[in-house]
Amino acid sequence: MSFLSIRNLSVRLKKGQPLLRRVSLDVSAGEVRGLVGESGAGKSMIGKAVLGILPPSIEVTEGEILLDGVDLLRLPPALRRKRIGALAALIPQDPLTALNPSHRIGPQITDRLVDILGWTRANADARARELLSEVQIPDPDRVLRSYPHELSGGMRQRILIASAFAAEPKLIVADEPTTALDVTVQKQILKLIAGMQTRHGTALLFVTHDLGVVSKVCQKLSVLYAGMVVEDTSVADFFAAPRHAYSAALLAATPKYTDPAAGLQPVPEAVIAAVQAEVAAFDRRAAHG
Amino acid sequence: MAEAKAIDGRSLVRRRAGLRLWLSASWLGLLCLVALFAPWIAPKDPLAQDLFLGRLPPFWMPGAEPGYLLGTDSLGRDVLSRIVHGARVALAVALIAGTITCLIGATLGLLAGFLRGWVDMIISRMIDIWMAFPPVLFSILLIAVLGPGLVSIIIAIVVIDWTRFARVVRAEAMAQGAMDYVASARVAGRGRPGTMVREILPNVLPTIVVLLTLEMGIAVIVEAILSFVNLSISTDDPTWGGMISEGRTSVHQAWWVLVFPLVTLFLTVLAFSQLGEGLKDRFDPVLR
Amino acid sequence: MPFLRILFVRLLTTAITLAGVAVIVFFVIRVVPGNPIAMMLPPGATEEDIARLSALYGLDKPMITQFGIWIAGVMQGDFGTSITTRQPVLNLVLGRLPATLELSIMALVMAMILGGAAALTGTRFRGGRTEGAIDVANGMALSVPDFLWGLVLILLFGVLMPVFHISGRVTPSLDLPFTTNFYLFESLIRLRFDLWADLVAHMFMPALALAIPLAAIIGQLLKQSLKETMNLDYVTLARTKGYGETRVILREALRNAALPTLTLVGVQFTFLIGGTVIIERLFSYEGLGNMAIDAVINRDLPLIQGIVILFAVIFTGVNLIVDLLYTVLNPRLRHG
Ligand SMILES: Nc1ncnc2c1ncn2[C@@H]1O[C@H](COP(=O)(O)OP(=O)(O)OP(=O)(O)O)[C@@H](O)[C@H]1O
Ligand SMILES: [Mg+2]
């Protein structure tokens, strides 16, 4: 039984435009699933749906999101929040905007432990210190007392990672956790996340553009196009032989895996046309029943 | 379908804004008519005193006298007739004082914001000084200097409130002046005065119109405040502020002397300001 | 610009402003028709009497000389002598100042509470009918000035449901043990809650009338700022931690949203203080503004000058403090 199981999830703008089209995917305990697709494909939307932070202009029209066997969409809001807060966590994309500028670092790591999970302050503080050493932050005591603007982007992302792992969640959603960082820092952060994931045995839903990252971190992979899952496979199979023409083109577009000299290849128009026809066919079916 | 809904939502906002504009404009239009035809509309002579008919209640209360719809004040003067005649003073002050204030304030603001340099220095310092005066006290002082009367009130409002226009118009003119189209107009050979009048003015005009509407509401209030402290027109002449002042002292014996002019004043001020806000929405490109 | 330089420039412009106010008020009120001396003497006083008293108050000298004497005195803290009461202007003005300050601060607190509550409620239920109702109420409160709200309150809570006093600062028959004129403050210190309640019952309506327009401004600005803040990443992150809407607003958004609002409140506060003049008159509250109107009516020139200068000092002082606070609180401005 998967820890996270999304079944036929459809999401649309309240005005009508569909954003996710019957998305299904599973993440087993301790497993890392990559989520790739071009910009606007709906990768973040899936993460938001799982974490219960869809914007108010967007509604779920069908499907279920089973977190540890319980459908989040059928829970009353207060219970849903509690469940998500206890079992899941988010590593956000931009460390510069994801920390509250007017709170110190310490409380931003311990708040969930104390306020939601009922830890004592002393235990939570000890846990925060432990986590900061785990994410390799020197002088944890000083950092816990700092404000976000006193720290570098890499440091802040480490703190956000520490905060995500604080309550030992069973599932973490990482939404392009390195794109906002310097290239030099990206590798370290990626390694850190992978290392922590293995050590804690956390299931990870990893949103990225970068197939290179997928090959290093993930075991499973979903390829998304226009809110539709076009391929759901293991990473090994994907790199050996992608089944869908679109994923094949995506793979071909990533230089490292074909010819490094060729540079980034655009996805051929014929492939785009074919996958768009699939989407259109899906919408027609949906409209008829 | 998505399209249709989007348009629906927007037209709802517009309809509400439209309703607001419409209601305010109708009230003010009605008031203008009442002011113009006051002598024909008012059922009684607003100055006629009759001590035997003092403090008559409005028509639905026991003890009311037919012909005195909204009752009488302590001197037996008809409240309705005084409100009707008071509209003349209120609207005259609103229109005249508002317009003159607008012309002077907007001109100074435009000059300061467009010419910059020492002109801006002087005008800005003057604005600073003006902002350091409590406006109500300033107006009372001016009336004491100028003596009571309609002209004095208008002068006082102009002298005090020009900064409202100057401040905003100055900032807008500065922002507009920094934009590309102004530079290109200059390059195209337009002189400074030409640029100011042809390029900047049309762009700040919507703001000026909105401010003007708001200023008219403020002028009505200032007149009422000055009447209230007995510094407006002569105390006999019917003004809303004067009636309120009288009503305030006898509010426990005859509430109607206070309530009816107060409601009229309230609605008028609200209408001017809602008209201004409604126009602001109309002019706002985001909503349009 | 370094902080000290900003401070210096602002102090200089403040000084120019105050000098301008002094010049204007001095010369404007000297154009007032009606000889103040003649007004204070009983009818039938001779020309000689008037001339003698005029000389006593220095009113017979040329205007420029009078101005020089006055300014020289002001520099030494001597604002002259009130013509009607024959007491030093400074004493009179400082004696009334606490009443006006207490009223203004009470109004400011009310405005912050009301405006804050409106903004928080509107944000909590944003997009719905509740927010619409709050917007309409804010629009109304903003459209109508304090003077009219004062009259409406008198009708509501003074006549219809007489729960508050409609005039005065304190019930005159009460025995006041106070040594300062900060009655409200002192009543708390002395634990005289009976007196405190009486003071509040007098102050409530004038303070509320002053507070309503400012509350609306705070409500609008803070709500807008809160709604913008609610879309920021750190707020979203807090939601995933399990916090409910209300706690997210209070814990994550409020503090960050409040800062831009606070700087605007500073300027609006000077408008509120300006409003005390007519509101004190309306509620016969014995503060500075009420005294000012009496001074104008009685042509008490030195007193008018003193009050206007004091108001100007308060206004420019509040603006100065707000500007400097803003510079201090905003590190980008400090170093930029
Ligand atoms: N708040 C919103 N309101 C309306 N539409 C939205 C909103 N957020 C996202 N969308 C739309 O939903 C679609 C999917 O967005 P999503 O953010 O999930 O894309 P993504 O795959 O994460 O892209 P990226 O790689 O750029 O992050 C896009 O077409 C986007 O325009
Ligand atoms: Mg995304």
Side-chain angles (χ1 to χ4, degrees), chain B residues 43-274:
Chain B
K44 304 270 173 210
D45 177 358
L47 300 179
Q49 303 183 5
D50 188 339
L51 292 180
F52 293 108
L53 294 173
R55 289 191 182 145
L56 289 178
F59 68 91
W60 68 85
M61 285 172 62
E65 201 58 48
Y68 294 90
L69 272 183
L70 302 182
T72 61
D73 64 12
S74 55
L75 298 177
R77 297 175 297 193
D78 181 40
V79 169
L80 177 59
S81 304
R82 288 179 74 75
I83 291 180
V84 165
H85 279 266
R88 296 191 136 190
V89 177
L91 282 181
V93 170
L95 296 179
I96 301 172
T99 311
I100 301 178
T101 313
C102 172
L103 286 177
I104 293 177
T107 308
L108 288 176
L110 209 55
L111 286 173
F114 183 67
L115 296 180
R116 311 276 189 108
W118 60 268
V119 179
D120 183 29
M121 251 273 288
I122 293 177
I123 294 178
S124 296
R125 281 288 80 71
M126 278 176 67
I127 294 178
D128 276 354
I129 294 172
W130 254 247
M131 298 288 288
F133 275 100
V136 172
L137 185 52
F138 199 2
S139 60
I140 292 171
L141 254 181
L142 285 178
I143 296 298
V145 173
L146 300 168
L150 198 58
V151 178
S152 305
I153 293 177
I154 291 169
I155 294 177
I157 292 174
V158 174
V159 167
I160 293 166
D161 274 354
W162 65 271
T163 57
R164 283 179 197 276
F165 289 84
R167 260 164 45 219
V168 179
V169 172
R170 170 179 173 272
E172 284 248 324
M174 273 190 180
Q176 296 287 342
M179 288 194 188
D180 284 343
Y181 74 87
V182 174
S184 55
R186 293 294 307 276
V187 171
R190 251 212 185 119
R192 298 238 284 188
T195 314
M196 194 170 87
V197 174
R198 298 273 180 88
E199 308 289 335
I200 307 243
L201 184 59
N203 283 291
V204 295
L205 207 54
T207 311
I208 294 179
V209 171
V210 171
L211 283 176
L212 173 60
T213 329
L214 297 177
E215 180 63 33
M216 289 184 178
I218 292 169
V220 175
I221 279 290
V222 172
E223 191 279 316
I225 286 177
L226 291 172
S227 304
F228 181 80
V229 288
N230 267 336
L231 283 169
S232 180
I233 325 266
S234 91
T235 40
D236 278 343
D237 279 338
T239 65
W240 296 344
M243 297 177 74
I244 287 172
S245 177
E246 212 234 291
R248 161 77 177 83
T249 53
S250 62
V251 63
H252 290 289
Q253 299 85 34
W255 54 263
W256 52 90
V257 184
L258 174 58
V259 168
F260 293 119
L262 178 58
V263 169
T264 318
L265 180 58
F266 195 97
L267 288 179
T268 307
V269 171
L270 196 62
F272 272 120
S273 131
Q274 292 300 311

Side-chain angles (χ1 to χ4, degrees), chain A residues 183-240:
Chain A
V183 189
T184 46
V185 189
Q186 286 189 354
K187 277 219 182 82
Q188 300 169 14
I189 296 293
L190 205 59
K191 243 193 182 148
L192 180 69
I193 295 176
M196 302 247 326
Q197 184 271 330
T198 325
R199 237 173 301 135
H200 293 260
T202 319
L204 185 60
L205 186 61
F206 198 100
V207 175
T208 179
H209 279 115
D210 190 343
L211 285 174
V213 171
V214 171
S215 73
K216 283 188 205 117
V217 196
C218 309
Q219 289 108 45
K220 294 283 176 53
L221 176 65
S222 295
V223 181
L224 218 61
Y225 183 86
M228 212 163 83
V229 177
V230 295
E231 181 146 5
D232 178 348
T233 173
S234 81
V235 167
D237 289 349
F238 178 80
F239 283 103

Side-chain angles (χ1 to χ4, degrees), chain A residues 8 18 67 91-92 104-105 111 148 156 223 239 245 247 272 279 282 286:
Chain A
N8 292 328
L67 189 65
I91 301 178
R104 292 175 197 275
I105 297 297
D111 50 5
R156 292 197 227 176
V223 181
F239 283 103
S247 356
I272 298 282
V279 170
F282 175 94

Side-chain angles (χ1 to χ4, degrees), chain C residues 3-21:
Chain C
F3 182 70
L4 277 180
R5 184 121 180 255
I6 296 180
L7 181 69
F8 179 74
V9 171
R10 286 295 280 110
L11 281 177
L12 193 72
T13 50
T14 304
I16 295 176
T17 304
L18 289 178
V21 170

